[in-house]
Amino acid sequence: MEHGRNIAGLLARVVVGVIMIMHGWQKFFDYGIGGATAGFAQMGVPLPGVSAVFAATVELVGGAALIVGIGLPVVGVLMAIDMAGAFVFAKLGAPLIAPTGGQLELALLAGGLLAGFAGGAYSLDRVLFRAKEKGVVGQTVAA
């Protein structure tokens, strides 16, 4: 059962991470930060330049961090904030399921949180924290 949870966590991290990387890549390299800033300004996003850099960075770097499993709780919260903003400023008021609906943003919000807090044992966080715990235990026994 535990192995299945860990595989599910890894799969969630990879899928959400890839989608987020694609969105961040668009903002940095397809639209450019200037294009993303203009789009954010048109939607009424506060501080559109800062918000565009924040969103692009969280999506690109955070997506990669999710995939390898580093900083998971922090990345999950940042992704939830990013997707909450996307939903509120770009999709609120539209039908939830429609070509322009906000179902993707809400799914990524929940998926980011889930991957961040239940990302499974197959992560760099687990390797680093397990090694750190073993070091503390080893030092305690030696003392």
Side-chain angles (χ1 to χ4, degrees), residues 81-135:
I81 291 167
D82 180 43
M83 289 297 102
F87 181 80
V88 167
F89 289 102
K91 307 295 179 159
L92 194 63
L96 186 60
I97 298 176
T100 59
Q103 71 272 13
L104 176 64
E105 290 77 9
L106 291 178
L108 288 172
L109 185 157
L113 284 174
L114 180 63
F117 286 96
Y122 308 127
S123 68
L124 198 49
D125 276 351
R126 182 64 63 96
V127 170
L128 294 173
F129 289 124
R130 183 174 286 163
K132 189 175 182 179
E133 287 172 5
K134 286 181 182 177

